[in-house]
Amino acid sequence: MCGIVGYVGNKTACPILLNGLHRLEYRGYDSAGVAIIGADNELKIYKCKGKVDELENFIADKDTEGTVGIAHTRWATHGAPNNINAHPHLSQSGQIAMIHNGIIENFRVLKEALDKEGFDFRSSTDSEVLVNLIEHIRNVNGCPLEDAVRVALKRAVGAYAIAIIEKGNPNRIIAAKQSSPMAIGLGEPGEYYLSSDAASIIEYTKDFVYINDGEMAVLEKGKPLQVFSLDNEPVAFSTARLDLSISQLEKGGYEHFMLKEINEQPKTIIDCTRGRISPETLEITLNGVANNIDRFLNARRIIFVACGTSWHAALIGEHLFEDICRIPVEVEYASEFRYRNPVIFPDDVVIAVSQSGETADTLAAIELARKSGAFVYGINNVIGSSIARATDSGTYIHVGPEIGVASTKAFTGQVTVMTMMALMIAKRKGTVSDEYYREVSAALLKLPELIEETLKLDGEIAEMAKIFTYARNFIYLGRGYNYPTALEGALKLKEISYVHAEGYPAAEMKHGAIALIDAEMPSVAIVTPDSTYEKTLSNVEEVKARGGKIISVMAKGDELVRRISDFTIEVPVTTECLMPIVVSVPLQLLAYHIAVNKGRNVDQPRNLAKSVTVE
Ligand code: M6R
């Protein structure tokens, strides 16, 4: 994970770097640091454990003047989160400073070799090994720094996005990437920004160059951008424009990004369906699907690969594609799939689901699928992200930047896109009646209204959260389309409140987990009118009979469910396959309020990062 940012130009670098780091903190917040070269050509490095605010306090009275600099916010992989392991790392001679996002997998071997050459290491990071390898190559070959970087990177195995500055050279940043994201922002002619995420520097520029894996860039003040391959061949590059406004990156009056993002859902669903569902004809058009319709119609199977919340959305996708399209579906954790030697046929369609588009395991699963000749489709949020570029085609969910670590609006956007995809394919395949197609299509357009109505339950849910703030364990129950919703509800609670929660298929309870039930264990039961309604009701009765406390997420006014519930969250009803979208909203709010009551850092929960770019 980690976030990197850089600047070279005529402006004072430090405020730009700190601002960028704040916006990148979602990628990691164990430590932060900055390296700047001042007018005296000296290299100044400041770094400390903790968040960017702590770095800001630490450097408040320090000399941070200079117009070239690099900065880093860390999610620890190799080495504890402390001052020494914080980036930037300095080479042994103190000449070269480097920031790194990724993992150098063969760092032990490289370190052993450098040990023998007399290098001492201050930190326990893989990154310090790389900066010293660069220095060693430069010493031995007497070559320019960029040549040493190229040679060193050819020896490094793993993932990296690096930026390097050098004492005595206040005009230049050298950057390179392999499997970790990097965007180079173009300012005034000869002025450059660099970041792990273009959105983090959007107030300075909207024009970006995304360099590819195995490429290196030289950002030199007053000179044109140069991009090379690691074989020193010049590489042509293009500029992409990112239309994003600053307000999309700010809290907009909400206490937390997560709360803002939950409340944005009526609008994000509109953005997600805009121009894709005709309000007049209810016709659905997704270009990515339309342009590749034969791949879907001839698919032997659909295999979803995803992680975390995106994996939960994919489980709903499984229901949708099997139910509506009659295509066999498998849903895989990307991290398991890639190491399992899975059977993938050339006529399989692999759908990679990811909010960030940067999840390392999902990227690796895509690579595996491509090698087997399968058609790979992406469902992503971040435009121009690595996964969006690595897939054959795809559909963006268009829900805007999601900054809270806990995914909310991305989940509902992903399910919305999957529903549109399934309907479109089913119509061409003839596996759906015109009536059902139109019913679900119309229901998608009505969803924002229903979510708006559901959001009005916030006050009620906040009160309920007070009662359950100190429960030590929760169980979430659901069936059918809402079993994945139960998993997602439990994940939300775990990740932001640090309370143990398990999602369970309601009927499976009696095969073991029901033993956990007592008066101390609240069960959040999703009992909405659908094809498993009566069965779920019986499962909830079983829990109730054992003294469990029941919080039901249920259809507004359902007396039967009210009677067996201790607490109720009454939501409006839509067609069965869209109920997970409505139901997930109060579950997000419940988790949010419990976490706030417990004083947790809702947007940046401990040990987590928004974008998991390590394997
Ligand atoms: O960016 P992605 O959708 O690929 O991320 C996958 C997971 O890391 C992510 O969904 C994670 O589980 C969220 N923090 C859950 O809220």
Side-chain angles (χ1 to χ4, degrees), residues 307-310 353-357 359 405-407 491-492 495 612:
C307 302
T309 287
S310 298
V353 190
S354 173
Q355 186 285 131
S356 62
T359 301
V405 163
S407 191
L491 177 63
K492 289 293 83 97
E495 67 180 328
V612 185

Side-chain angles (χ1 to χ4, degrees), residues 352-399:
V353 190
S354 173
Q355 186 285 131
S356 62
E358 300 296 345
T359 301
D361 284 317
T362 310
L363 261 168
I366 290 171
E367 214 171 287
L368 189 68
R370 287 178 71 94
K371 279 192 191 134
S372 307
F375 175 67
V376 187
Y377 200 84
I379 300 179
N380 296 139
N381 189 30
V382 178
I383 294 169
S385 57
S386 303
I387 292 179
R389 285 180 285 135
T391 42
D392 293 308
S393 184
T395 300
Y396 285 117
I397 58 175
H398 286 316
V399 299

Side-chain angles (χ1 to χ4, degrees), residues 519-535:
E520 306 293 305
M521 166 77 105
S523 295
V524 179
I526 305 167
V527 205
T528 50
D530 56 31
S531 40
T532 54
Y533 173 74
E534 259 125 37
K535 302 277 176 206

Side-chain angles (χ1 to χ4, degrees), residues 534-547:
E534 259 125 37
K535 302 277 176 206
T536 315
L537 213 54
S538 311
N539 300 142
V540 176
E541 292 273 18
E542 289 155 13
V543 174
K544 177 96 187 146
R546 277 136 190 107

Side-chain angles (χ1 to χ4, degrees), residues 502-525:
E502 259 187 78
Y504 232 80
E508 272 296 303
M509 282 290 283
K510 51 185 161 305
H511 300 288
I514 203 161
L516 295 169
I517 297 297
D518 61 19
E520 306 293 305
M521 166 77 105
S523 295
V524 179

Side-chain angles (χ1 to χ4, degrees), residues 91-372:
S91 64
Q92 180 156 285
S93 70
Q95 294 286 313
I96 308 170
M98 189 189 85
I99 48 173
H100 170 216
N101 167 32
I103 292 181
I104 305 300
E105 286 164 13
N106 60 340
F107 83 102
R108 284 187 191 83
V109 184
L110 298 173
K111 191 174 181 184
E112 263 173 40
L114 290 169
D115 272 335
K116 289 187 189 135
E117 299 293 338
F119 277 82
D120 284 329
F121 294 89
R122 305 170 186 104
S123 75
S124 28
T125 65
D126 52 333
S127 313
E128 193 189 3
V129 175
L130 183 58
V131 72
N132 277 322
L133 178 64
I134 293 168
E135 175 154 292
H136 175 59
I137 292 169
R138 186 165 73 164
N139 291 347
V140 170
N141 297 351
C143 59
L145 181 59
E146 49 268 52
D147 290 344
V149 173
R150 256 191 296 272
V151 175
L153 291 179
K154 283 184 143 191
R155 288 199 207 156
V157 177
Y160 55 80
I162 56 167
I164 293 170
I165 55 174
E166 181 194 11
K167 186 173 175 173
N169 191 341
N171 296 320
R172 188 180 66 171
I173 299 176
I174 297 174
K177 80 155 235 127
Q178 174 67 44
S179 307
S180 291
M182 176 182 287
I184 296 170
L186 309 177
E188 300 296 319
E191 179 192 39
Y192 300 102
Y193 301 84
L194 172 153
S195 177
S196 304
D197 176 357
S200 72
I201 46 177
I202 199 74
E203 57 245 77
Y204 308 111
T205 178
K206 288 190 182 328
D207 295 321
F208 292 93
V209 172
Y210 296 96
I211 64 167
N212 295 310
D213 284 347
E215 291 177 358
M216 200 180 101
V218 178
L219 289 57
E220 191 151 2
K221 182 156 86 182
K223 296 204 176 154
L225 179 68
Q226 293 172 282
V227 183
F228 302 96
S229 70
L230 294 188
D231 292 322
N232 203 13
E233 296 295 334
V235 172
F237 55 85
S238 55
T239 307
R241 195 159 175 83
L242 182 62
D243 280 315
L244 202 67
S245 68
I246 289 292
S247 63
Q248 287 177 279
L249 303 174
E250 289 172 347
K251 287 189 199 150
Y254 286 95
E255 202 179 332
H256 297 101
F257 280 110
M258 182 183 179
L259 190 59
K260 177 188 177 216
E261 287 157 9
I262 293 172
N263 278 283
E264 276 175 346
Q265 288 174 110
K267 176 174 178 304
T268 55
I269 300 290
I270 294 175
D271 292 343
C272 183
T273 54
R274 182 180 294 119
R276 293 165 164 181
I277 305 179
S278 156
E280 291 79 32
T281 62
L282 297 178
E283 206 56 40
I284 298 171
T285 315
L286 296 171
N287 291 334
V289 174
N291 296 340
N292 299 286
I293 193 70
D294 289 341
R295 300 300 299 247
F296 286 102
L297 295 180
N298 299 324
R300 177 194 292 237
R301 268 184 319 180
I302 285 176
I303 305 173
F304 280 99
V305 291
C307 302
T309 287
S310 298
W311 184 80
H312 294 155
L315 289 177
I316 297 172
E318 178 178 29
H319 278 269
L320 286 163
F321 281 86
E322 292 201 335
D323 189 16
I324 307 179
C325 306
R326 306 306 297 149
I327 302 175
V329 177
E330 285 174 28
V331 182
E332 301 274 358
Y333 280 121
S335 54
E336 287 297 313
F337 179 73
R338 56 178 298 200
Y339 288 116
R340 216 192 47 229
N341 192 14
V343 178
I344 313 169
F345 299 104
D347 52 354
D348 282 335
V349 171
V350 172
I351 303 183
V353 190
S354 173
Q355 186 285 131
S356 62
E358 300 296 345
T359 301
D361 284 317
T362 310
L363 261 168
I366 290 171
E367 214 171 287
L368 189 68
R370 287 178 71 94
K371 279 192 191 134
S372 307

